[in-house]
Amino acid sequence: MAGNASTDESKSHAEHASHGEIATSGEIGLTYQGRPRTHGFRLSLLDAFVVLLAVVVTLATIDATGGFSWLLLFVVLHFFLFCNVFRVRRGPELVWAFSFLANCGFWIATGHVDLLGIVGSQCLITLAILINEMRSPNYHGIFARRINSRLDDYLAGRSNLVEQNTFPNS
């Protein structure tokens, strides 16, 4: 009967994994793609290429865009910051993206589009998202080993907090 429970548990993990939830295998937490969870800063050749390409395109189009091509670089660097440095979860990334669009829309609607106003106000949103993320038991970005006392639970997929993406009630 113990063998059946183990088989049922394996099936349960496989079902959860197929629905984009956390699958676990022993002490190693797996992503929904079946890869082991990792933490810290990461950089690939593709990441470096995209950032470099954004720099080149930005510099090549500054005059033609009246300087607003800096926003392209701003967005690409934020994507890099969120995905590779702080490893922000998808939900907060989408909040940032929608707030960026709303922020730009606001400046356009006022008839006074100010590059520094857009960047300055968006950086406050960035800061709020990063602080919130770094306080989460899911935090697995740069310096996670120092910042997140629950990192091992996250990496192993053991924490209910990790699975629910919620904070404990105080």
Side-chain angles (χ1 to χ4, degrees):
M1 187 166 235
N4 290 341
S6 176
T7 303
D8 290 342
E9 185 179 36
S10 296
K11 286 180 187 176
S12 174
H13 287 305
E15 288 171 6
H16 289 303
S18 69
H19 295 296
E21 297 176 16
I22 298 169
T24 59
S25 174
E27 290 295 308
I28 299 171
L30 302 177
T31 66
Y32 68 94
Q33 299 160 329
R35 295 185 208 135
R37 292 174 183 250
T38 60
H39 72 284
F41 177 83
R42 65 180 177 183
L43 178 65
S44 71
L45 286 175
L46 181 60
D47 296 329
F49 175 75
V50 169
V51 170
L52 183 61
L53 181 63
V55 168
V56 169
V57 170
T58 297
L59 294 176
T61 60
I62 286 175
D63 291 335
T65 64
F68 284 95
S69 62
W70 285 110
L71 290 178
L72 167 70
L73 186 59
F74 182 73
V75 169
V76 169
L77 289 176
H78 269 79
F79 186 76
F80 179 79
L81 182 75
F82 283 1
C83 294
N84 296 65
V85 180
F86 290 95
R87 312 226 3 219
V88 175
R89 290 170 289 144
R90 183 171 294 133
E93 283 179 343
L94 291 173
V95 167
W96 188 90
F98 288 122
S99 68
F100 178 75
L101 293 173
N103 188 6
C104 290
F106 168 79
W107 286 95
I108 291 168
T110 64
H112 179 70
V113 180
D114 180 16
L115 185 62
L116 289 178
I118 293 170
V119 170
S121 55
Q122 197 63 35
C123 282
L124 294 175
I125 295 167
T126 299
L127 187 61
I129 287 173
L130 293 180
I131 288 171
N132 185 55
E133 222 24 53
M134 291 171 74
R135 296 182 66 221
S136 165
N138 296 322
Y139 182 68
H140 59 287
I142 194 166
F143 302 123
R145 186 65 61 197
R146 292 182 190 165
I147 295 169
N148 185 1
S149 62
R150 307 244 356 238
L151 180 63
D152 290 332
D153 289 335
Y154 170 80
L155 294 173
R158 290 190 303 249
S159 171
N160 287 338
L161 297 172
V162 171
E163 293 176 14
Q164 296 172 4
N165 289 329
T166 60
F167 290 99
N169 292 333
S170 298

